[in-house]
Amino acid sequence: MASAQPALTTALTVPVPAPAGTLRSRVSRRVGSIPPSATLAVDAKAKALKAAGRPVIGFGAGEPDFATPQHIVEAAVAACREPRSHRYTPAAGLPELREAVAAATQRNSGLACGAGDVLITNGGKQAIYEAMAVLLDPGDEVLLPAPYWTTYPEAIRLAGGSPVEVVTDESTGYLASVDQLAAKVTPRTKMLLFCSPSNPTGAVYPAEQIAEIGRWALELGLWVVTDEIYEHLVYGAAEHVSMLVVVPELAPRCVVVNGVAKTYAMTGWRVGWMIAPPDVIIAATNLHSHLTSNVANVSQAAAVAALTGGLDDVVRMRAAFDRRRGVMVSMLREIPGVACPEPQGAFYAYPCVRTLLGRDLRGRRPTTSAELATLILEEVEVAAVPGEAFGTDGYLRLSYALGDDDLAEGISRIQGLLAELS
Ligand SMILES: Cc1ncc(COP(=O)(O)O)c(C=O)c1O
């Protein structure tokens, strides 16, 4: 259909809502104001260039480059043949998957919970949305440490809440302190949305700091939604610690979000979950039953195989990420003016590029990280996500979940380009 609608996005600039009177007059204000996911937009642009034959190297993707381990795929094939998989199943998830999640959670993070405390969702993303929908009323404020995962503010806003950013930077390794959080509390503060290991920074909060934040939230009566989807991807001396393990008293006001996507190279299968108090599980299950019913049974069977099949494949993939992490960080640090804290977890580096902005480069002068990311893509065909997507201009996010050769080639292209800065 021919349309006079203005384009919502250009190049790698962070998408903005449509101006009043255009999209908004046709779709609701609530949904019309949601920008598309900037990370997916970068990835799509890189893939489109690649499909057109360009030698693009993409650092934008938030997913492992490995195939899902074979035993998980086989379990899904078997589930396809089972007539039970062809029917609706309970909205909260297959009982065996809820059991497997509870057992894996106890085994992996030490958090004791039962199958009844678990709701299976279409990815961790849906668990975040449902947690916000269940817990927030219009006007409620949510403390959101920045840089944050790009979906969080939209999930909060869709539920009628307001994200209140607590900005951190490389000087503290992107860790928010209790003092920083406390400075943003108002009478409307209802929740802290916490993520460790972090997307986009790779920061992993130490156990004592998690305990301090948890105790502080408990004292204030705040809810905590803690996103632990990268729990298995920690490196060196870093350790993943679940907030509820160190502050168990927070359980009546805490939602833990997790999923199989990042740990088992299963982003396309769409299985995540929340672990929450009974009233939240009941409310979220009711919502879920009207929204999507059960998660696809074949995917749920695959998730059971993932959670019960041991961690050998996870260890293998983590070793590859760790090796690539070392290469990426040392190459980024070779670029004059780039500050790159060593990521302790997930699979992203988040270098600060602020000192590179406002300088001449191939006839242009990028003044924001979005402009710099566009220039890098156009000039050397390397895709990185600008920091604006995560609430902080002046940074780039580069995923190291790609092959070793591509990684080295991509960063050396960036090095070569930025050597021309004047
Ligand atoms: C911090 C964080 N939480 C949750 C998710 C959601 O993952 P999924 O919906 O694929 O399970 C992602 C995916 O990028 C993420 O980075």
Side-chain angles (χ1 to χ4, degrees), residues 1-5 26:
M1 185 182 76
S3 161
Q5 294 285 359
R26 292 173 54 79

Side-chain angles (χ1 to χ4, degrees), residues 29-45:
R29 219 173 301 159
R30 193 180 66 257
V31 174
S33 65
I34 302 175
S37 159
T39 49
L40 293 186
V42 170
D43 198 39
K45 180 154 175 115

Side-chain angles (χ1 to χ4, degrees), residues 373-397:
T374 301
L375 197 150
I376 291 171
L377 182 59
E378 290 174 359
E379 294 294 326
V380 293
E381 301 188 307
V382 173
V385 188
E388 285 89 334
F390 312 103
T392 52
D393 180 12
Y395 298 81
L396 296 177
R397 189 194 77 172

Side-chain angles (χ1 to χ4, degrees), residues 62 123-125 149 152 195 199 227 229-230 261-262 270-271 348:
K125 192 175 263 186
W149 181 41
Y152 291 151
C195 180
N199 174 7
D227 183 344
I229 200 151
Y230 293 98
K262 317 289 178 174
R270 311 309 305 134
V271 181
Y348 310 99

Side-chain angles (χ1 to χ4, degrees), residues 8-17 35-36 38 150 369-371 374 385-391:
L8 284 179
T9 61
T10 56
L12 290 188
T13 50
V14 169
V16 292
T150 193
S369 42
E371 287 173 10
T374 301
V385 188
E388 285 89 334
F390 312 103

